[in-house]
């Protein structure tokens, strides 16, 4: 090893779900939305001024934060936007988790949490989900440097009720609690109404799932103005201009079309409930999903085998080779047509 | 202070140059390009598929890295792209500067360097530029945890020759040397030809200046494959999908149009040389710029006064209230028309 190589940071990189370039793939592996973004997004793209690209974007991203604040009934100083919720969450780890006490998150959860904690040298502990993959609230009653969990959780798809979130907050008035609501629009109740009562609560959401804009990279955090200011201070000191001009303009249009949003959600929820029935008939046990994916295990055939055989057929789902969940598959809810192709193939395992 | 507030990171945020919403401003304060992006960028925008936005972008950003690699005669595994060169540089600080020895950069330079070093708890020392604002190469002959400098330097506009960069590399075989070439296309010689000889060299460039795409947020680093892999590993562990789909497609088109690129550069360089003459006539001393801005001081009137009076007139330039440079102005090269407005106003100080 050369001397200069010693100063290179060693990380175990997160491996994202595959993004195959083949177009004929039935892509149910990264929880994308099967429907296009709201029509206003196209209109905003078409009327976009290319000449404006020579200028830096608005560092405060006000076009987008104002629309989000309006939509959620918040003040504009209560909203922070970033390059996908991964950027927002990583920034939140850096901003809020600076204690010597460990932060807490479940053992089975979004796999980026431990990666960020390692990257930023943040100590952490991972209380185990119970045997039904539920969070045990009492595990979060101990001294800690912060708490983060997704609701619904991923990859389990399970939702905790608002009373659960409130209980965690009631027992943690001394640390910052982040609720990662990437999938909340698919049937959960957001923790947003708790913002007025709990000034140590940060709620994070994304445009990647319910708003069909994974390719645009937009995420956002909502909380009291002091938390949002702290996030912005770190952002400004890291990269003042993270959101490019097309994101600011096209993102705002996506939020404005409430009717399209509700319609798309309803379609996905319908397909999910249908999928739950079909997959159960086909020998799968499905956890009770409140998201745009199902977390399933088959009563005879190992998940890894199904995963590989589906892939050969051009049907991509997600398999995690991790303790406790290595016999499960995470299946994104696609269009009814895509799901029919999936059911057709799965018949062989019945 | 509440208990949870104690864990919030305290930072001194970087203050970016103003981005006024008024459209009648003569905006010479953030080194943007006065000409629009290459015509191919518009074509790529118009033919962009909005439906594709529902899918995550390619995490390897290969559409863009391949075009850049072709353009610079490198292999694709020698190019890393990020959300502006600020994102690339911050990622490079996190990836490469992990020594107990201080990193080195000039006392007068891009002000983000010290902000990132503070943010990531990286020790640093800032050797002083000499009285002519030149780097003193011998100051970089001591043990260090890494070196970074812009060439041309900002805000001084001064270029160091390739022999200077080579000398720094020859004396620093044990640490990683980053040359930040945000302004290199405006008349400097890039350190890229040194990549074959020095595997500890990283060259960083941007689309924000010479390619007229500050609003799109695209920067890139070039170096040996081991350095680029290390950057990607950190990126994948931070946010796998930083570059949105429009950036990847529109950015690639900007690189492909060499003729437009050269033509735009020639216009800006012409205007700069003219500006140097005019401003000298008007009583300014101008450093010898190899960039798209001038760093100037007036023989009678304090810089701060000129800055404020220009602003009242709707002419924005940059003033840094910092030791040694608080009697200088940084003036971006605009269109000839914009510059005429500037000269006209400056007549009063003659």
């Amino acid at each position: 090893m050369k001397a200069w190589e010693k100063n290179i940071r060693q990380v175990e990189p997160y491996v994202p779900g595959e993004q195959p370039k083949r177009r004929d793939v039935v892509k149910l592996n990264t929880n994308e939305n099967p429907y296009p973004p709201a029509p206003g997004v196209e209109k905003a793209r078409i009327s976009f001024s290319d000449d404006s690209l020579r200028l830096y974007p608005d560092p405060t991203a006000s076009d987008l934060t104002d629309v989000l604040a309006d939509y959620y009934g918040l003040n504009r100083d209560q909203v922070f936007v970033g390059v996908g919720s991964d950027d927002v969450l990583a920034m939140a780890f850096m901003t809020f988790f600076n204690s010597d006490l460990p932060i807490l998150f479940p053992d089975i959860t979004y796999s980026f949490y431990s990666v960020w904690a390692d990257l930023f040298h943040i100590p952490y502990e991972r209380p185990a989900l119970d045997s039904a993959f539920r969070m045990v609230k009492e595990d979060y009653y101990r001294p800690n440097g912060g708490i983060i969990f997704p609701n619904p959780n991923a990859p389990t798809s399970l939702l905790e009720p608002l009373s659960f979130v409130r209980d965690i907050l009631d027992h943690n008035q001394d640390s910052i609690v982040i609720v990662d609501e990437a999938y909340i629009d698919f049937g959960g109740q957001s923790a947003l109404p708790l913002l007025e009562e709990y000034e140590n609560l940060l709620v994070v959401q994304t445009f990647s799932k319910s708003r069909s804009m994974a390719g645009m990279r937009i995420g956002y955090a909502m909380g009291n103005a002091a938390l949002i200011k702290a996030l912005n201070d770190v952002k400004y000191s890291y990269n003042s201009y993270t959101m490019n001009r097309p994101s600011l303009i096209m993102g705002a249009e996506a939020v404005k079309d409430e009717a399209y949003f509700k319609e798309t959600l309803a379609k996905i929820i319908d397909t999910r409930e249908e999928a739950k029935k079909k997959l159960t008939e086909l020998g799968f046990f499905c956890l009770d999903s409140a998201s745009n994916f199902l977390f399933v295990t088959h009563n005879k055939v190992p998940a890894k085998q199904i995963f590989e055989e589906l892939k050969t057929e051009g049907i991509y789902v997600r398999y995690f080779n991790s303790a406790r969940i290595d016999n499960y598959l995470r299946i994104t809810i696609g269009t009814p047509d895509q799901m029919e192709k999936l059911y057709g193939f799965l018949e062989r395992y019945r």
Side-chain angles (χ1 to χ4, degrees), chain A:
Chain A
M1 181 179 269
K2 287 163 192 141
W4 55 266
E5 289 181 292
K6 287 188 199 127
N7 295 336
I8 296 181
R9 187 183 286 260
Q10 299 303 319
V11 292
E12 187 78 47
Y14 174 81
V15 181
E18 289 172 273
Q19 297 294 348
K21 288 212 167 177
R22 287 171 56 185
R23 295 201 171 237
D24 58 338
V25 159
V26 177
K27 194 166 179 311
L28 307 175
N29 68 331
T30 51
N31 295 346
E32 289 144 336
N33 197 308
Y35 302 107
V41 173
E42 180 177 3
K43 284 195 194 125
R45 174 182 58 80
I46 288 170
S47 61
F48 183 83
S49 154
D50 300 286
D51 182 54
S52 75
L53 285 180
R54 66 181 191 78
L55 300 172
Y56 282 97
D58 169 16
T60 67
S62 62
D63 287 345
L64 186 54
T65 50
D66 287 1
V67 167
L68 285 166
D70 272 0
Y71 183 80
Y72 291 105
L74 301 169
N75 298 323
R76 62 188 293 184
D77 63 1
Q78 291 187 276
V79 181
F80 171 86
V81 295
V83 182
S85 59
D86 285 343
D87 181 46
V88 173
L89 288 165
M91 211 74 87
F93 269 58
M94 217 191 296
T95 307
F96 300 124
F97 296 159
N98 294 289
S99 168
D100 294 329
L101 291 170
I103 64 166
L104 306 177
F105 51 84
D107 64 335
I108 297 167
T109 194
Y110 187 37
S111 44
F112 253 128
Y113 297 163
S114 56
V115 180
W116 290 321
D118 286 333
L119 188 67
F120 302 132
H121 308 297
I122 300 164
Y124 59 96
E125 284 174 15
R126 299 192 282 193
L129 298 181
D130 71 15
S131 60
F133 293 137
R134 286 278 168 193
M135 286 175 71
V136 180
K137 63 181 190 299
E138 291 79 6
D139 288 343
Y140 297 82
Y141 291 178
R142 56 180 124 159
N144 62 71
I147 290 174
I148 180 164
F149 59 93
N151 195 35
N153 195 4
T156 66
S157 78
L158 294 172
L159 177 76
E160 299 296 343
L162 201 56
S163 57
F164 176 95
V165 180
R166 182 186 284 281
D167 183 86
I168 297 285
L169 284 159
D170 282 336
H171 285 85
N172 289 281
Q173 294 290 295
D174 288 349
S175 48
I176 289 168
V177 176
I178 302 177
V179 186
D180 177 359
E181 296 189 336
Y183 300 102
I184 198 73
D185 295 324
F186 299 101
Q189 194 181 355
S190 171
L192 282 175
L194 303 180
L195 286 183
E196 284 199 11
E197 281 172 76
Y198 301 93
E199 53 185 8
N200 57 327
L201 167 64
L202 192 79
V203 175
V204 176
Q205 297 191 4
T206 177
F207 280 53
S208 298
K209 316 296 182 186
S210 56
R211 296 194 186 275
S212 307
M213 290 181 83
M216 206 68 193
R217 317 307 303 124
I218 307 175
Y220 51 109
M222 296 168 285
N224 90 60
L227 296 187
I228 299 304
K229 183 183 180 303
L231 274 174
N232 269 316
D233 284 353
V234 169
K235 185 196 103 159
Y236 292 140
S237 72
Y238 186 86
N239 185 354
S240 309
Y241 308 105
T242 58
M243 308 298 290
N244 66 17
R245 287 178 171 264
S247 291
L248 295 177
I249 292 173
M250 292 160 73
E253 290 308 315
V255 180
K256 287 177 192 165
D257 195 339
E258 175 79 354
Y260 181 86
F261 180 58
K262 296 284 186 212
E263 184 196 322
T264 306
L265 290 175
K267 283 197 282 188
I268 293 168
I269 292 168
D270 275 0
T271 311
R272 179 185 73 206
E273 295 311 307
E274 175 71 12
K276 220 181 280 184
K277 275 187 222 145
K278 286 277 188 180
L279 291 172
T280 307
E281 284 166 30
L282 289 165
F284 285 91
F285 170 72
C286 305
L287 272 74
D288 192 23
S289 171
S291 64
N292 70 337
F293 61 89
L294 293 173
F295 199 54
V296 306
T297 185
H298 195 268
N299 60 15
K300 290 196 305 261
V301 190
K304 188 151 190 271
Q305 181 190 333
I306 300 174
F307 166 73
E308 280 162 2
E309 290 176 2
L310 279 169
K311 195 167 167 183
T312 313
E313 199 68 7
I315 301 174
Y316 284 54
V317 300
R318 194 85 200 263
Y319 172 72
F320 298 92
N321 195 5
S322 309
R324 298 183 68 192
I325 56 170
D326 58 0
N327 200 25
Y328 283 79
L329 296 173
R330 192 192 71 185
I331 304 176
T332 304
I333 302 302
T335 61
D337 274 4
Q338 291 177 311
M339 300 308 282
E340 286 300 332
K341 282 183 192 146
L342 174 75
Y343 308 145
F345 186 82
L346 294 176
E347 281 289 345
R348 73 189 57 191
Y349 307 118
R350 194 194 272 268

